[in-house]
Amino acid sequence: MIAINSERLKRSLEEMGEIGLNDPGAGRTRLTLSQEDREGRNLFVRWLEEAGLQVCLDPVGNIWGIRQGRDMKAKPVMAGSHLDTVKNAGMFDGALGVLAALEVIRTLNDHGIRTEKPLAVAAFTNEEGARFQPDMMGSMFAAGLLDLERALGSMDDDHVTVGMALEETGYSGNDRLEASAYLELHVEQGPVLHREGMDIGIVQGIQGIAWWYGTYKGEANHAGTTPLEYRKDSLLAAAELCCELRKLAEELGNDTRSTVGRLHPLPDVVNVIPAETWFTIDFRQYDKKLFESGKEKVESLVAKIAEKHGLDFQLEQRVDALPIRFPLSMVHLVERVARKSGCSYMNLPSGAGHDAQFMHRLCPTAMIFVPSIGGRSHCPEESTDWKDVDRGADVLLKSMLELAGLVYEGTGV
Ligand SMILES: [Zn+2]
């Protein structure tokens, strides 16, 4: 039986994980198109070239490498994920999907195995959305759901645009990403698989995700001399919004999630009533209808609270990723492979967004999860057992082979 090289995959993950490493114990930070992200991309491209792949680059900086199949005209069976991270991230989120796909190619090279369709390994730009919005930018663009102009114009907190950062890092190209199928291996980032003692999670679909950036605008005034009834306190309104959004999620039920992750009062002074408070909202729901009606409720809540406090407000929706279900044929294919490999597995939805959410709009797509120890993610403590990494990469290998079709079985199959 052909098997991936576990040691080589581990070494690659560790080497990528060294890039952007902060103080001991603080994890790594490779924000999209930063110097650290550029270093990660350089390493990835070197590895693609060493594996003999044709390296491609599109106008938003998505990178992929193609290994030719016998059928030169067929679109590739693609696997991948992202190399950008949040601040102080773990080693596995994103990098696992990219480097396991690379390991699949390296393994096929080792064994001299040819496939009917070409294979491709992809790293998408700005999946995390920690620096630029929308998140999942690269896959959204590849799927034709985001205009190039809007992507390139997206600006970070320091007024640097994606376009400027692409120019600076040299990661803009003119290739067009195509795929006949897409697979993404990822850490679960939740506690279910670890708790249930399962080897593999087969993802049925992904929650809808909506993000807003908003501002409540009131009046700065003296904290001692301004009677309560004369105040236009933007932070008080934002605080109420935090509580009301939580209540809304509870009322909607069905695992609705709502989060205010960022909150900046201005002028941010101890004895001044905050004139302006800037906030973000993250809202998620798996059911399409509930997602749509929930988004309307979020927006009317923001307006209602502004009115109650006598404030002006601005609200801009930055992300609107609809809930999706992966095709059953793809889910069943991964199930079959997992069963044959002797893995225990279960079906589950994904609470986090992934590039697969948009690649699904381009071609038949599936996702494979491996357990996150203690369900921790987006933090330095994020961890996955190396045995699970192996099993996930093995299921990815065999699923890719099923989709691409074997031509020459080389040695060792
Ligand atoms: Zn990820």
Side-chain angles (χ1 to χ4, degrees):
M1 276 298 263
I2 180 175
I4 59 126
N5 183 329
S6 320
E7 255 316 299
R8 183 171 53 195
L9 175 56
K10 180 171 182 251
R11 271 201 315 274
S12 300
L13 276 160
E14 284 173 345
E15 195 174 335
M16 185 60 75
E18 289 283 316
I19 299 175
L21 209 55
N22 306 324
D23 302 330
R28 72 270 309 132
T29 302
R30 291 194 303 272
L31 296 181
T32 297
L33 299 171
S34 61
Q35 281 312 309
E36 294 78 13
D37 185 31
R38 180 196 223 170
E39 252 183 82
R41 286 164 173 263
N42 291 348
L43 179 62
F44 175 55
V45 167
R46 176 157 70 77
W47 283 341
L48 290 178
E49 286 169 349
E50 283 169 6
L53 302 188
Q54 176 200 340
V55 178
C56 305
L57 195 60
D58 76 3
V60 299
N62 291 323
I63 305 170
W64 65 103
I66 300 177
R67 183 182 195 261
Q68 277 310 332
R70 185 169 68 173
D71 182 350
M72 302 287 278
K73 288 202 186 101
K75 291 180 186 172
V77 171
M78 182 174 275
S81 193
H82 59 97
L83 294 172
D84 67 315
T85 70
V86 293
K87 281 183 197 164
N88 304 331
M91 188 199 300
F92 297 96
D93 180 356
L96 172 64
V98 177
L99 300 182
L102 176 67
E103 178 52 41
V104 167
I105 302 290
R106 287 169 164 172
T107 302
L108 298 181
N109 287 349
D110 290 347
H111 293 265
I113 293 170
R114 266 189 87 192
T115 53
E116 181 69 27
K117 286 184 187 165
L119 299 174
V121 181
F124 291 98
T125 296
N126 190 42
E127 192 274 345
E128 295 288 7
R131 182 178 178 196
F132 300 106
Q133 289 82 43
D135 59 348
M136 300 176 270
M137 182 181 277
S139 45
M140 198 174 176
F141 171 78
L145 295 164
L146 179 66
D147 291 345
L148 181 59
E149 216 174 303
R150 195 178 149 216
L152 298 184
S154 172
M155 204 178 265
D156 71 4
D157 291 347
D158 297 321
H159 304 284
V160 177
T161 64
V162 167
M164 287 153 73
L166 276 169
E167 207 168 294
E168 169 142 4
T169 51
Y171 272 99
S172 172
N174 284 313
D175 296 310
R176 188 191 151 93
L177 187 144
E178 287 187 313
S180 61
Y182 177 73
L183 290 166
E184 184 165 350
L185 172 66
H186 206 283
V187 286
E188 184 203 341
Q189 304 181 279
V192 179
L193 295 175
H194 185 229
R195 197 178 56 207
E196 302 290 324
M198 290 287 168
D199 301 330
I200 295 286
I202 299 162
V203 184
Q204 296 157 304
I206 303 184
Q207 289 194 113
I209 304 171
W211 285 1
W212 292 264
Y213 279 38
T215 311
Y216 278 138
K217 294 180 177 178
E219 257 174 30
N221 217 332
H222 196 290
T225 60
T226 316
L228 298 184
E229 63 271 28
Y230 282 94
R231 294 176 182 220
K232 288 187 174 179
D233 186 337
S234 64
L235 181 57
L236 187 64
E240 186 170 334
L241 179 67
C242 293
C243 300
E244 289 297 320
L245 276 171
R246 165 68 184 237
K247 257 192 241 164
L248 174 65
E250 284 169 4
E251 278 161 24
L252 291 173
N254 292 290
D255 292 322
T256 303
R257 319 246 194 256
S258 66
T259 306
V260 174
R262 301 180 72 184
L263 198 62
H264 292 185
L266 284 172
D268 197 16
V269 172
V270 63
N271 56 356
V272 180
I273 297 161
E276 279 196 19
T277 299
W278 176 84
F279 55 86
T280 62
I281 301 171
D282 175 305
F283 178 81
R284 301 185 191 218
Q285 167 55 239
Y286 195 50
D287 178 83
K288 222 173 190 163
K289 268 194 189 152
L290 210 51
F291 181 63
E292 292 302 332
S293 62
K295 284 188 296 187
E296 281 174 25
K297 286 188 172 127
V298 168
E299 290 184 352
S300 67
L301 190 61
V302 172
K304 207 175 86 189
I305 293 172
E307 199 187 325
K308 180 181 162 189
H309 291 262
L311 308 176
D312 289 332
F313 74 98
Q314 279 176 342
L315 191 65
E316 182 199 348
Q317 189 171 359
R318 295 262 186 121
V319 171
D320 189 16
L322 302 181
I324 59 126
R325 307 279 156 123
F326 293 122
L328 278 179
S329 59
M330 291 292 284
V331 170
H332 290 159
L333 180 140
V334 180
E335 274 178 9
R336 232 173 20 246
V337 168
R339 201 178 315 127
K340 266 202 221 161
S341 308
C343 297
S344 60
Y345 66 88
M346 65 184 284
N347 294 99
L348 75 176
S350 171
H354 296 290
D355 291 308
Q357 196 157 1
F358 287 106
M359 285 304 285
H360 162 77
R361 308 284 285 271
L362 189 73
C363 61
T365 291
M367 276 198 90
I368 305 158
F369 274 177
V370 287
S372 295
I373 297 172
R376 303 289 303 274
S377 179
H378 281 189
C379 57
E381 292 79 14
E382 174 191 278
S383 186
T384 291
D385 200 298
W386 290 110
K387 268 199 220 100
D388 290 325
V389 167
D390 271 7
R391 274 193 277 255
D394 185 58
V395 170
L396 179 68
L397 165 70
K398 287 166 184 158
S399 302
M400 284 180 84
L401 285 180
E402 281 233 3
L403 287 163
L406 273 177
V407 177
Y408 170 62
E409 299 205 339
T411 56
V413 174

